[in-house]
Amino acid sequence: MRRIDLRKLNPSPDWRARALSKQADIDNGVIDAKTASAMWSELKPQLKDLSQNKCWYCESREDRSDNAVDHFRPKSLYPWFALDYENFRFACTFCNSIRKNPKTGESEGKGDHFPLLSGNKAENRAQRNTENYILIDPCEPADVGLLDFTEDGLPRAKFPHQRNRNRRAIDSIKYYHLDHPDLVESRRQLALDIRDWVESADAIYDPNDQGDPKIEKAFKGYVSNIAKVIAADAPFSVFAKKMVKGYQDRYWIEVLLECA
């Protein structure tokens, strides 16, 4: 999961005015929150741009999917927050919708889930700032670092011995369906590609200093491949960067990461 800077989302004054009007209708019981879907759908292109077309939760890019504007706090549980754009997240189908994990048979996906570590559910915007929620929020810089991955592409908790941080990571993996076999396999294949590029580049690193243009071109090609997969717009780029960091005992990898 890569941090998303939601401050860059800047809806037009017209959208904000219409959203306030619709929210008032929801608050007064004139309409149900779900009937205002056209409002948040208008912002989908802007939300999508913030992550270079990637799901904010799993970093996958599903070009064939409609994807969705997810409400981080579900509109069914927090109708008063239904049209606040700070509650919108761009999500793929597997993260946003309830689906069965084909490997475990368990139901996963966010749906209308919003579990709390403790305390009561927020009833207004002010209480939202003190709500003790579980799910990792891609818009919170302190949250995204709670996730980690194995070389096989499996998601795991970054801090397994810290009770609440561990629980937030483990539960988020389930609710966001981050362990779906397709995602795991995509990460695993990416790790193998990175290993091959690193080993191939490493094998010609010293000869590359001898001035042979063919070797120099080959070395640059491998490094370019690595640079592309750790770039912010690449699918699974946070996972890729973690894999590349595993090779930073090579000087040229260390330099590459410093400049990424």
Side-chain angles (χ1 to χ4, degrees):
M1 187 180 293
R2 179 176 287 275
R3 183 179 73 87
I4 303 297
D5 189 353
L6 200 55
R7 297 173 303 173
K8 294 180 179 179
L9 183 65
N10 188 23
S12 68
D14 173 68
W15 187 93
R16 293 172 189 255
R18 288 186 289 115
L20 283 174
S21 177
K22 283 281 188 182
Q23 185 64 62
D25 288 342
I26 294 171
D27 295 342
N28 294 324
V30 177
I31 61 172
D32 189 85
K34 64 183 179 182
T35 66
S37 60
M39 290 297 304
W40 55 76
S41 293
E42 284 184 42
L43 297 187
K44 185 190 291 188
Q46 295 180 46
L47 294 163
K48 189 176 181 180
D49 287 345
L50 288 181
S51 61
Q52 291 83 34
N53 303 349
K54 298 188 296 182
C55 171
W56 291 15
Y57 299 125
C58 71
E59 272 205 291
S60 69
R61 182 180 291 123
E62 292 189 42
D63 296 327
R64 294 173 296 174
S65 171
D66 289 338
N67 293 307
V69 176
D70 174 50
H71 288 70
F72 183 62
R73 285 176 171 81
K75 57 186 176 293
S76 60
L77 302 177
Y78 300 81
W80 51 268
F81 207 34
L83 289 176
D84 191 315
Y85 68 87
E86 291 186 6
N87 192 36
F88 299 162
R89 309 289 184 266
F90 182 68
C92 73
T93 301
F94 283 105
C95 289
N96 187 51
S97 304
I98 303 297
R99 298 285 185 88
K100 277 193 176 181
N101 186 313
K103 189 171 183 179
T104 66
E106 295 184 2
S107 293
E108 298 183 358
K110 184 170 178 287
D112 288 338
H113 295 296
F114 198 74
L116 303 179
L117 277 169
S118 62
N120 298 319
K121 179 171 72 68
E123 298 298 333
N124 54 54
R125 187 179 179 85
Q127 293 179 9
R128 170 185 69 101
N129 295 323
T130 58
E131 192 175 47
N132 198 14
Y133 58 86
I134 287 179
L135 293 179
I136 292 174
D137 185 359
C139 298
E140 284 293 336
D143 277 9
V144 293
L146 299 179
L147 287 171
D148 196 13
F149 298 92
T150 69
E151 292 183 357
D152 291 333
L154 288 168
R156 64 182 179 184
K158 180 73 172 181
F159 306 104
H161 303 300
Q162 299 178 18
R163 185 182 64 181
N164 286 344
R165 292 186 177 95
N166 179 68
R167 182 183 174 189
R168 293 191 68 198
I170 296 302
D171 286 3
S172 293
I173 288 169
K174 175 182 177 181
Y175 284 119
Y176 293 144
H177 215 164
L178 301 181
D179 59 348
H180 187 280
D182 289 351
L183 291 176
V184 173
E185 179 61 14
S186 293
R187 296 190 201 103
R188 189 184 74 84
Q189 291 289 340
L190 179 55
L192 292 175
D193 285 340
I194 291 170
R195 184 193 66 185
D196 289 345
W197 294 330
V198 170
E199 290 180 350
S200 296
D202 214 39
I204 59 175
Y205 179 69
D206 289 332
N208 180 47
D209 194 42
Q210 304 304 314
D212 186 327
K214 291 183 178 179
I215 294 179
E216 181 179 3
K217 182 177 180 180
F219 180 78
K220 287 182 176 180
Y222 295 131
V223 176
S224 178
N225 288 340
I226 297 169
K228 288 176 183 177
V229 298
I230 65 175
D233 61 346
F236 314 115
S237 58
V238 170
F239 169 77
K241 196 165 187 177
K242 173 183 170 52
M243 293 299 103
V244 174
K245 283 183 176 179
Y247 301 101
Q248 62 183 345
D249 56 326
R250 281 83 161 170
Y251 174 72
W252 62 274
I253 286 286
E254 182 182 7
V255 172
L256 175 62
L257 289 170
E258 287 176 353
C259 300

